[in-house]
Amino acid sequence: MIIVLFGPPGAGKGTQAKRLEERYGLKQLSTGDMLRAAVAEGSPLGREIKDIIDGGHLVSDDIIIRMIDARMDQADCQQGVIFDGFPRTVAQAEALDAMLARKNKQIASVLLINVDEQELYRRIERRAAEAAGKAREDDNAETLKKRLEIYRGQTAPVLPFYRQKELIAEIDGMAALDTVTAQIEAVLEQHQQAKKRA
Ligand code: ADP
């Protein structure tokens, strides 16, 4: 099963992805985590992208697509994956489609986690405070503003692409964590039932 978790920064994608991993035997593929790992390693790629990430900008589609393509072929992804933070542009969504077609796979559902902006600022501030000294360099109100602008300008336009394919399920991300998980599970159960009937 291939799932896309979609929503603005701070929507709770990472938290929910971790919960779904265990429950469904899927692998979370967070492009943000993968990129931060490259930066931490100090690899040539990591050095190239550090400033881009810290400034809240997007890493090039080309880099992201190659990274995901290679990762998807590894053994731990064969049961299925949860994309978290990807695709983030229409070009990435189109490349993902072509990649999945090549691998004979398809997206089961795109879960759109809705959270209002005021709440996103509150969450990022809390996340930065809790990380005390070890906060992500892009977790501050100023960079969040930039990340939200980019979300609106470059990432939200991916939604019509999936809406047209009737893949989107809306999730109320303002609800309590367990309630959000329950909403997601309901969508995935429904999907699995429909698949069994087919
Ligand atoms: P958030 O918590 O804002 O959802 P992520 O951890 O997913 O952030 O990503 C952090 C940063 O990594 C982004 O602001 C961006 O610079 C880079 N990044 C992550 N995923 C992508 C992607 N799919 N395309 C381009 N850049 C990305």
Side-chain angles (χ1 to χ4, degrees):
M1 185 157 61
I2 295 180
I3 297 163
V4 175
L5 286 185
F6 203 95
K13 301 185 292 292
T15 308
Q16 297 299 332
K18 293 223 165 62
R19 293 179 167 202
L20 298 174
E21 267 197 315
E22 288 179 25
R23 169 105 203 229
Y24 295 92
L26 306 172
K27 187 72 201 165
Q28 172 193 16
L29 293 190
S30 158
T31 42
D33 286 349
M34 291 161 83
L35 296 169
R36 279 187 291 277
V39 171
E41 266 170 30
S43 65
L45 170 69
R47 287 198 296 274
E48 185 183 327
I49 62 181
K50 182 176 189 311
D51 290 343
I52 301 175
I53 297 177
D54 289 352
H57 298 274
L58 291 185
V59 172
S60 80
D61 289 333
D62 201 49
I63 291 178
I64 300 288
I65 291 160
R66 269 187 285 142
M67 195 171 78
I68 289 289
D69 199 352
R71 189 67 187 82
M72 288 276 294
D73 290 336
Q74 288 172 14
D76 59 351
C77 292
Q78 301 317 307
Q79 280 249 68
V81 299
I82 308 159
F83 288 118
D84 160 10
F86 170 86
R88 240 179 172 90
T89 62
V90 173
Q92 290 179 19
E94 285 170 347
L96 176 61
D97 246 32
M99 187 191 308
L100 292 176
R102 242 183 3 255
K103 298 185 201 289
N104 230 333
K105 295 179 195 277
Q106 55 188 21
I107 294 172
S109 187
V110 176
L111 299 154
L112 168 59
I113 307 181
N114 291 306
V115 175
D116 68 39
E117 278 198 16
Q118 253 192 338
E119 173 66 12
L120 296 175
Y121 278 97
R122 277 198 292 269
R123 289 185 186 181
I124 297 286
E125 273 164 20
R126 206 184 317 138
R127 186 156 87 182
E130 281 166 5
K134 281 189 293 198
R136 278 167 50 177
E137 295 208 34
D138 62 346
D139 264 354
N140 55 68
E142 197 193 325
T143 311
L144 178 61
K145 195 162 161 255
K146 181 90 230 161
R147 281 150 70 200
L148 283 173
E149 265 167 36
I150 290 178
Y151 178 79
R152 273 186 238 111
Q154 303 201 148
T155 305
V158 174
L159 288 171
F161 178 85
Y162 286 131
R163 214 160 247 139
Q164 198 202 345
K165 297 178 187 284
E166 296 184 9
L167 282 174
I168 296 193
E170 306 235 9
I171 305 293
D172 173 15
M174 299 288 284
L177 276 183
D178 288 346
T179 312
V180 176
T181 308
Q183 290 176 64
I184 293 175
E185 285 177 353
V187 172
L188 299 185
E189 299 298 335
Q190 227 178 11
H191 176 84
Q192 288 187 323
Q193 293 303 325
K195 212 170 145 195
K196 262 188 219 146
R197 280 196 301 272

Coordinates of all heavy atoms in Angstrom, one line a residue, residues 187-198:
V187 N -10.0 5.6 6.9 CA -9.8 5.7 5.4 C -9.1 4.5 4.8 O -9.5 3.9 3.8 CB -9.1 7.0 5.0 CG1 -8.7 7.1 3.6 CG2 -9.9 8.2 5.5
L188 N -8.1 4.1 5.5 CA -7.2 3.0 5.0 C -8.0 1.7 5.1 O -7.9 0.8 4.2 CB -5.9 2.9 5.8 CG -5.0 4.2 5.6 CD1 -3.7 4.0 6.3 CD2 -4.8 4.6 4.2
E189 N -8.8 1.5 6.1 CA -9.6 0.2 6.2 C -10.6 0.2 5.1 O -10.7 -0.9 4.4 CB -10.4 0.2 7.5 CG -9.6 0.2 8.9 CD -8.7 -1.0 9.0 OE1 -8.9 -2.0 8.5 OE2 -7.7 -0.8 9.8
Q190 N -11.2 1.3 4.8 CA -12.2 1.4 3.7 C -11.5 1.0 2.4 O -12.0 0.3 1.6 CB -12.6 2.8 3.6 CG -14.1 3.0 3.5 CD -14.5 4.5 3.4 OE1 -13.7 5.3 3.3 NE2 -15.8 4.7 3.6
H191 N -10.3 1.5 2.2 CA -9.5 1.2 1.0 C -9.2 -0.3 0.9 O -9.4 -0.9 -0.1 CB -8.3 2.0 1.0 CG -7.4 1.7 -0.2 ND1 -7.6 2.3 -1.4 CD2 -6.4 0.8 -0.3 CE1 -6.7 1.8 -2.3 NE2 -6.0 0.9 -1.6
Q192 N -8.9 -0.9 2.0 CA -8.5 -2.3 2.0 C -9.7 -3.1 1.7 O -9.7 -4.1 1.0 CB -7.8 -2.7 3.3 CG -6.4 -2.1 3.4 CD -5.6 -2.6 4.6 OE1 -6.1 -2.7 5.6 NE2 -4.3 -2.8 4.4
Q193 N -10.9 -2.7 2.3 CA -12.1 -3.5 2.1 C -12.5 -3.4 0.6 O -12.8 -4.4 0.0 CB -13.3 -2.9 2.9 CG -13.2 -3.1 4.4 CD -13.0 -4.5 4.8 OE1 -13.6 -5.4 4.2 NE2 -12.2 -4.8 5.8
A194 N -12.4 -2.2 0.0 CA -12.8 -2.0 -1.4 C -11.8 -2.9 -2.3 O -12.3 -3.5 -3.3 CB -12.6 -0.6 -1.8
K195 N -10.6 -3.0 -1.9 CA -9.6 -3.8 -2.6 C -10.0 -5.3 -2.6 O -9.9 -6.0 -3.6 CB -8.2 -3.5 -2.1 CG -7.2 -3.6 -3.2 CD -5.9 -3.1 -2.7 CE -4.8 -3.9 -3.4 NZ -3.5 -3.7 -2.7
K196 N -10.4 -5.7 -1.4 CA -10.8 -7.1 -1.2 C -12.0 -7.5 -2.1 O -12.0 -8.6 -2.7 CB -11.1 -7.4 0.3 CG -10.0 -8.0 1.0 CD -10.4 -8.4 2.4 CE -9.3 -8.1 3.4 NZ -9.9 -7.7 4.7
R197 N -12.9 -6.5 -2.2 CA -14.1 -6.8 -3.0 C -13.8 -6.8 -4.5 O -14.5 -7.5 -5.2 CB -15.2 -5.7 -2.7 CG -15.9 -5.9 -1.4 CD -17.2 -5.1 -1.3 NE -16.9 -3.6 -1.4 CZ -16.6 -2.9 -0.4 NH1 -16.6 -3.4 0.8 NH2 -16.4 -1.6 -0.6
A198 N -12.8 -6.1 -4.8 CA -12.5 -5.9 -6.3 C -11.9 -7.2 -6.9 O -11.3 -8.0 -6.2 CB -11.6 -4.8 -6.5

